[in-house]
Amino acid sequence: KNEVEQSPQNLTAQEGEFITINCSYSVGISALHWLQQHPGGGIVSLFMLSSGKKKHGRLIATINIQEKHSSLHITASHPRDSAVYICAVSSNYQLIWGAGTKLIIKP
Amino acid sequence: EAGVAQSPRYKIIEKRQSVAFWCNPISGHATLYWYQQILGQGPKLLIQFQNNGVVDDSQLPKDRFSAERLKGVDSTLKIQPAKLEDSAVYLCASSLEGVKLFFGSGTQLSVL
């Protein structure tokens, strides 16, 4: 079993829909990261969380430390949000990656 | 704030040649990562440095790959000799412990 599990693996939605991507982990962490990678592009860090909730524009990230679970939400989704979203956790000075969620937003 | 700098941006070599990549992390960031990302796959950690010490190099093919981080700042990743399957994007990232990750733009390597 992977230490960081993401779901869904693939997600296709219509423009304007509310998007949720989930991440569960089984190790002790000091931080959880949500990252975005566009096709052929570099990786951009969206959020770093150790507790609670963060919001940036249309993106919201939450984490429940007790349940070892985090969610990334996108409100009013847009085709430019199409990308791979990756959850990664910092644990014992190491970074453990989820497999990523490929999101496609159709116009 | 300057980001993570990587060079070159692109590199094309023939198999059995040598190649080196350079990374300059954000000033003050103790942790530096080198990742290999093959097209269509997620990043694979090659090596992680904490200052100038190696934390994890378990997935580094040590018969052909080497990396160093002199003085705990800049880092170089070398492949010698390169194989066709080394064609990938090589990403460098840095962070302070528990703080946001920053990625460089990557070096796209094509081995012909």
Side-chain angles (χ1 to χ4, degrees):
Chain A
K1 190 179 187 301
N2 293 330
E3 292 168 308
V4 179
E5 297 273 2
Q6 275 187 246
S7 64
Q9 189 173 2
N10 294 283
L11 178 57
T12 300
Q14 290 297 129
E15 183 174 358
E17 286 189 36
F18 181 81
I19 302 298
T20 297
I21 299 171
N22 295 300
C23 175
S24 296
Y25 54 92
S26 58
V27 295
I29 69 170
S30 56
L32 183 143
H33 307 267
W34 281 103
L35 309 155
Q36 180 194 55
Q37 187 171 32
H38 281 103
I43 297 176
V44 175
S45 181
L46 299 174
F47 295 103
M48 190 282 296
L49 296 162
S50 53
S51 65
K53 176 180 174 178
K54 287 190 176 180
K55 185 176 189 293
H56 181 70
R58 295 180 294 105
L59 300 177
I60 303 166
T62 63
I63 188 168
N64 185 318
I65 298 294
Q66 286 72 33
E67 295 185 3
K68 294 189 173 180
H69 181 269
S70 176
S71 294
L72 176 69
H73 305 285
I74 306 174
T75 62
S77 60
H78 190 276
R80 64 175 174 266
D81 297 326
S82 298
V84 175
Y85 291 84
I86 305 167
C87 170
V89 299
S90 295
S91 177
N92 292 328
Y93 294 97
Q94 295 184 328
L95 193 63
I96 306 169
W97 296 69
T101 295
K102 185 175 181 180
L103 174 66
I104 297 172
I105 304 296
K106 294 185 175 181
Chain B
E1 179 183 72
V4 177
Q6 282 191 251
S7 66
R9 186 73 178 90
Y10 303 95
K11 188 74 177 178
I12 300 173
I13 61 172
E14 294 187 351
K15 59 183 179 183
R16 291 188 289 273
Q17 284 188 321
S18 301
V19 65
F21 313 128
W22 174 80
C23 174
N24 186 8
I26 292 175
S27 178
H29 280 196
T31 308
L32 185 148
Y33 308 85
W34 280 104
Y35 289 93
Q36 179 194 59
Q37 186 172 26
I38 294 171
L39 187 65
Q41 300 180 18
K44 173 184 132 180
L45 178 67
L46 293 175
I47 189 166
Q48 177 185 340
F49 291 97
Q50 186 74 14
N51 296 306
N52 61 351
V54 176
V55 173
D56 184 357
D57 64 355
S58 56
Q59 297 191 89
L60 187 73
K62 298 180 184 65
D63 57 333
R64 298 184 300 106
F65 286 64
S66 64
E68 60 182 10
R69 191 182 183 194
L70 298 175
K71 300 180 182 178
V73 183
D74 291 11
S75 178
T76 55
L77 176 69
K78 296 180 182 178
I79 308 175
Q80 180 179 10
K83 292 185 176 181
L84 296 176
E85 59 260 35
D86 298 331
S87 294
V89 174
Y90 291 84
L91 292 162
C92 178
S94 72
S95 73
L96 291 171
E97 176 57 19
V99 184
K100 197 172 178 179
L101 280 168
F102 291 84
F103 283 84
S105 54
T107 295
Q108 185 170 331
L109 173 67
S110 297
V111 182
L112 306 178

